[in-house]
Amino acid sequence: MKELLFSIIKSEQEELKRASKKFGPHNNSHHESYAVILEEKQEAEESAFEFEKAFEQYWDDVRHDQVNPDVLAVMETAALRAAAEWVQVAAMCAKAQRKKNTVDTGAYPPPPPMPAMYANERAPEITAGLRRVSETNSLSYGDRQILREAMSYITQRSGL
């Protein structure tokens, strides 16, 4: 879990660099920051909604014992898109914290330390789940729980 969260934070920092290069290192006002964050949040929620629709279809298929593998592919794609959108939300929250006249040096502070809640008895289980995700490029129920924990941490960290 720790490695995944650090990877997500690194992705956030890379997205912040990309957005800063394209749109400038800071927003002009909190109103602009709000609008940018809102747009990214809505895109994340749209992807989550796509996932939810496909997930409901998957459950119907499971109950009728007629699972369509395409539904699982749609779920995977929607989940990945939602995760990418939440990374953009986190990056825009970080950008909103920058003061006007900030110069983008390309240097970013190290990620914050992991909360104590992640250094617990589930660490081996989480590590194994992350390994399965990276090896199989798919998410089992347990691995989805791990992703939910990671997204919960990111959401808490970004104050959403």
Side-chain angles (χ1 to χ4, degrees):
M1 177 59 111
K2 188 176 184 179
E3 293 86 8
L4 176 60
L5 288 173
F6 282 141
S7 173
I8 291 169
I9 291 168
K10 182 178 178 187
S11 295
E12 173 202 20
Q13 292 173 344
E14 289 170 0
E15 177 59 21
L16 180 57
K17 283 182 190 178
R18 187 200 65 77
S20 294
K21 191 176 278 189
K22 187 171 181 178
F23 300 109
H26 59 80
N27 294 324
N28 293 314
S29 69
H30 286 295
H31 291 88
E32 181 182 5
S33 295
Y34 177 84
V36 171
I37 293 167
L38 177 63
E39 177 190 6
E40 296 301 340
K41 177 182 169 286
Q42 288 172 336
E43 290 172 359
E45 290 170 341
E46 288 170 10
S47 294
F49 182 72
E50 288 175 29
F51 174 86
E52 202 58 43
K53 287 191 318 188
F55 191 60
E56 288 175 15
Q57 179 62 52
Y58 178 60
W59 176 236
D60 287 342
D61 292 353
V62 167
R63 287 186 305 165
H64 295 99
D65 211 18
Q66 297 175 337
V67 174
N68 179 351
D70 292 342
V71 173
L72 293 168
V74 169
M75 288 168 47
E76 178 182 14
T77 300
L80 291 170
R81 284 184 180 159
E85 291 294 345
W86 282 116
V87 167
Q88 288 184 321
V89 169
M92 294 306 96
C93 289
K95 185 175 179 181
Q97 295 174 57
R98 289 181 168 181
K99 303 226 182 315
K100 205 168 185 171
N101 301 324
T102 298
V103 176
D104 187 1
T105 64
Y108 294 91
M114 298 298 294
M117 65 187 269
Y118 293 108
N120 61 22
E121 68 280 350
R122 288 198 61 218
E125 177 186 345
I126 291 170
T127 302
L130 293 174
R131 188 172 296 114
R132 283 191 303 277
V133 170
S134 66
E135 290 171 356
T136 64
N137 199 24
S138 65
L139 294 170
S140 69
Y141 175 78
D143 295 337
R144 281 196 310 272
Q145 292 300 105
I146 291 168
L147 184 58
R148 283 190 187 108
E149 286 181 28
M151 295 312 295
S152 173
Y153 168 74
I154 290 168
T155 302
Q156 290 170 1
R157 183 176 164 268
S158 61
L160 298 175

